[in-house]
Amino acid sequence: MKRELKVPYDDDDAKALLRQKGFNPDDVREVVDDVEYEGEFFPMEWFSYEGNLMMCQWLHANGAAEDISRADEAHGRTPMSEACGGGHLS
């Protein structure tokens, strides 16, 4: 709901969303294996793909700023390329 209303995430909201997506809320840079999508993702990459700018902003402000240009190990995709692939940049 906050995303639709463009209300910034507070820490509790962001950490709950990280848990919901299978990420470790105490390590915003950790790579996790996503069985549903058959791959490994780090939070900035995943939320860029989903087009969740507010979550990306929260991640950036809370320890994942370096992940903006980080490429995943499997395919070399960056969060920006994931956002493009998800149709969120034109």
Side-chain angles (χ1 to χ4, degrees):
M1 177 63 104
K2 286 190 175 197
R3 182 174 170 196
E4 288 81 19
L5 297 175
K6 298 187 176 166
V7 175
Y9 291 115
D10 62 26
D11 290 349
D12 291 335
D13 294 330
K15 289 181 177 192
L17 186 54
L18 285 165
R19 273 195 277 314
Q20 178 186 4
K21 297 294 183 176
F23 293 107
N24 177 356
D26 297 318
D27 185 352
V28 296
R29 302 194 68 214
E30 183 177 39
V31 174
V32 299
D33 187 32
D34 187 306
V35 177
E36 181 180 350
Y37 290 95
E38 300 178 4
E40 293 183 338
F41 298 92
F42 53 95
M44 185 70 77
E45 176 187 22
W46 179 256
F47 290 105
S48 293
Y49 176 75
E50 284 194 332
N52 191 335
L53 177 61
M54 287 191 305
M55 188 60 179
C56 291
Q57 290 169 329
W58 184 91
L59 289 165
H60 186 276
N62 287 276
E66 293 178 35
D67 288 348
I68 287 293
S69 58
R70 177 181 176 186
D72 69 33
E73 292 184 20
H75 305 288
R77 294 182 299 231
T78 64
M80 183 67 74
S81 66
E82 291 289 0
C84 289
H88 305 295
L89 300 173
S90 55

